[in-house]
Amino acid sequence: MKGEIYRKGGEDDEKRCMALTLAAVMAFSVTAFGASNPAQNGRWESAYGNGTASAYKKMYSIYARSILVGYTKLTVPKEAQGKNLYLAMVDTELWKTKGTSEYFKGSLVEWENFQVKQVYEKDLQNVFKVPLTKDAITLEVTYLEDRGNQKVGQGISVVALGGNQYENNLFADQEDQLFVEDLIYLYLSPDLKHEVEEVPCTIDVTIGADTMQVNGKSYPLDVPAYINDAGYTMLPMRALVENLPEEVQKKVLWDGQSKTALILCGMTTYRLTAGEKEAKRNGDKVILNTPLEIKDGRVFLPLRDMVMFWDNGKNSWDASTKTVHISADLVHILE
């Protein structure tokens, strides 16, 4: 039976600067398979003994769209020390929907005080055994599978396996507990050659309405758009990105610890932080007219700024209906 899940805010992870072949960023969440609530601040905790076992990840800077390396910090209660964690890399969607996936090839390295402390070996099934000798460890996870058969937009998660088939397993009597969702995200890197096509997109957003229109189709909004104090239209972040035409590759990643959003859209990445006008587009600094905002626990994007970043992005305002009309060309990457 799965352990009870508690949602808590994450602690500040250790700051470190590591040279990567491919610089990357990934907002993250940690949950248990089957959990119904999204993670908050990048941390989920699973009840264990008199305490909790948890996994936590921090967002790093972005310069590319295909993330091959991710970092996670694991913490366990005192009674868990002396046990082993068995970690595997799995396909995010398969694991979330079916609870099963092949285990991918990769490497697992423990860092301590900005230095490599331990390189872990995997078994024939690509499962890593991690002895728990202290209450917290920081791990670098690298994806090493052949990229030729990857799916566009494939998420790779790390799961702590349950079951008594593993020696002295921390979760021997429980189902898989810690699930670090999309620790690695296999999007498309600029150096990979793919054909692309432009996808025309029109968006209509009315202030206070509970729907938005994309290419003439209506999509529900759980919270409406509003006009902020600076006079700019603010739209729920996930609604804007996830309701774009389905053939456009897109992804929304949120790090509640740093209040930073990473948005992947077509061939472009955006990094925005709440309260800051300085943002990044494909790693290059840009200045927003108004920053990303958090209101009533939801993240809102400055609609005008986002549209101006898109190719041929245009917007107009109908004062009589309080409706913003947007048109832009988005990119569809052909597989």
Side-chain angles (χ1 to χ4, degrees), residues 104-295:
F104 297 120
K105 295 177 183 177
S107 67
L108 189 68
V109 176
E110 180 182 348
W111 284 75
E112 185 174 73
N113 297 324
F114 312 107
Q115 301 291 329
V116 173
K117 178 184 178 183
Q118 176 73 41
V119 178
Y120 294 99
E121 298 294 330
K122 59 182 180 294
D123 65 15
L124 294 177
Q125 285 72 45
N126 295 318
V127 175
F128 294 90
K129 174 183 175 181
V130 180
L132 299 173
T133 59
K134 54 185 180 179
D135 61 0
I137 56 175
T138 298
L139 299 174
E140 173 191 282
V141 182
T142 304
Y143 178 82
L144 296 175
E145 286 282 353
D146 180 5
R147 298 290 299 281
N149 296 322
Q150 79 161 83
K151 296 180 294 184
V152 174
Q154 182 178 9
I156 306 298
S157 298
V158 172
V159 62
L161 301 172
N164 57 16
Q165 69 270 35
Y166 301 107
E167 179 187 4
N168 201 23
N169 186 10
L170 178 66
F171 294 126
D173 299 324
Q174 305 177 55
E175 295 183 44
D176 309 319
Q177 290 295 298
L178 297 177
F179 177 58
V180 188
E181 185 175 345
D182 286 347
L183 182 67
I184 294 170
Y185 189 72
L186 299 179
Y187 204 58
L188 294 179
S189 183
D191 60 340
L192 297 179
K193 305 302 181 182
H194 293 266
E195 294 185 6
V196 300
E197 66 179 3
E198 291 187 343
V199 178
C201 180
T202 60
I203 302 172
D204 291 282
V205 178
T206 300
I207 301 303
D210 58 4
T211 61
M212 63 180 292
Q213 281 69 46
V214 178
N215 285 348
K217 184 177 180 180
S218 182
Y219 294 90
L221 295 174
D222 56 353
V223 287
Y226 66 92
I227 298 177
N228 70 1
D229 293 339
Y232 292 94
T233 301
M234 308 297 292
L235 186 68
M237 175 175 64
R238 292 190 181 277
L240 173 61
V241 178
E242 294 179 354
N243 290 333
L244 293 175
E246 62 180 25
E247 62 267 39
V248 175
Q249 287 80 20
K250 65 259 187 182
K251 183 79 172 180
V252 175
L253 306 166
W254 173 248
D255 180 8
Q257 184 70 21
S258 63
K259 295 181 174 58
T260 298
L262 171 65
I263 299 171
L264 308 166
C265 180
M267 296 285 287
T268 310
T269 60
Y270 308 91
R271 189 175 189 270
L272 305 89
T273 300
E276 296 184 9
K277 286 190 174 182
E278 182 177 309
K280 287 189 176 181
R281 181 182 187 271
N282 285 345
D284 297 326
K285 183 173 71 173
V286 294
I287 302 300
L288 307 175
N289 288 294
T290 192
L292 174 151
E293 295 181 356
I294 300 175
K295 182 178 180 182

Side-chain angles (χ1 to χ4, degrees), residues 300-314:
F300 289 81
L301 289 173
L303 192 54
R304 179 178 179 183
D305 284 319
M306 289 302 299
V307 172
M308 295 305 293
F309 292 157
W310 292 340
D311 291 337
N312 299 320
K314 300 177 182 178

